[in-house]
Amino acid sequence: MAGWPWVACFAHNRGTTFLNGSAMSPRRPALLALALACLLPTLASAATPYRSPQQILDASPGSDWRTPDPANLLYMNLPAGRVIIELAPAFAPQHVANIQTMAHEHFWDGESIYRAQDNFVVQFGDADADDAAKAKPLGSATRKLPAEFQRDSKGLKVSLLPDRDGWADQTGFVDGFPVGQDRKDGKTWLAHCYGALGAGRNNEEDSSIGAELYVVTGQSPRQLDRNITVVGRVLQGMELLSALPRGPAPMGFYTDPAQRTAIQSIQRASDVPAAERPKLQVLRTDSRTFADATEARRNRVDDFYKRPAGHIDLCNIPVPVR
């Protein structure tokens, strides 16, 4: 389990273990050592000039950045430009595999974004999917998948946040994806933060296959966590989705097909020649740069901020892409 320098001190206050997994000793020398360990970073930080998140990013080493696997990238090509999405097979392997199949077989080419609900989501896919006479064939995609709302925490390297969360026992990041965790039942799930990509479903929990997808464009609807399969997140091009004209209340579905945004194509990056792929890097969320930039956001002490918050919400932490 990875974390920030101050997470160990935070963990002690909650009666858990050190980040290396060893139990905390009740003996006085151990408590003294812990007190010193918690105090020294505070003294050091007092003598260290504040750096903004951007200054920290500008000084980051190349090893703190990763290049996404093209097998897990989608290019959503719209008339106004391209949206780049990273899929999360570690959390929703069957949905991701189905989405990759549909992208490879051009399922979404010529379809549309047919919903834009204010402060919520945009949704895309086959607008006629509920009409058997008009629905687009699914090709070789699987027609039935299990719900993949959460997964076992075992084996995950989570960079934990120190602050309390209203939706999860604890929160953090795994390979660039914001997650919630329940330590009691040993489960971890992808959070519905801005830019999250989810698989739309009906009332039955196993009624999604990844053909109808949505992207969160409003205030993070965390009440959906563990209720819908989240399959990825947008890396680049969110402005092309968040600025779309809103559909009518209450759900944002366009009543006039002319208002829909055409999808020219959705491609797997691995199906595009390497020379034609945008060269993107994502900041590693297990890196010191990410930890320092997050702490700088959590406690801003520049000329503008008069009262540092000392707190940050999971969905208010951007994962930089360059």
Side-chain angles (χ1 to χ4, degrees), residues 81-99:
R82 173 178 282 175
V83 178
I84 300 180
I85 296 166
E86 183 174 24
L87 299 172
F91 287 87
Q94 296 191 55
H95 280 75
V96 166
N98 225 30
I99 289 167

Side-chain angles (χ1 to χ4, degrees), residues 36-78:
L36 290 173
C38 292
L39 178 61
L40 289 176
T42 302
L43 295 176
S45 64
T48 304
Y50 175 78
R51 292 188 299 160
S52 70
Q54 189 58 54
Q55 289 173 319
I56 293 168
L57 291 175
D58 290 343
S60 63
S63 58
D64 282 0
W65 297 79
R66 65 179 176 88
T67 299
D69 184 349
N72 294 326
L73 291 181
L74 296 179
Y75 297 155
M76 182 182 190
N77 298 304
L78 305 175

Side-chain angles (χ1 to χ4, degrees), residues 92-106:
Q94 296 191 55
H95 280 75
V96 166
N98 225 30
I99 289 167
Q100 290 168 329
T101 294
M102 287 184 280
H104 181 65
E105 295 178 356
H106 307 283

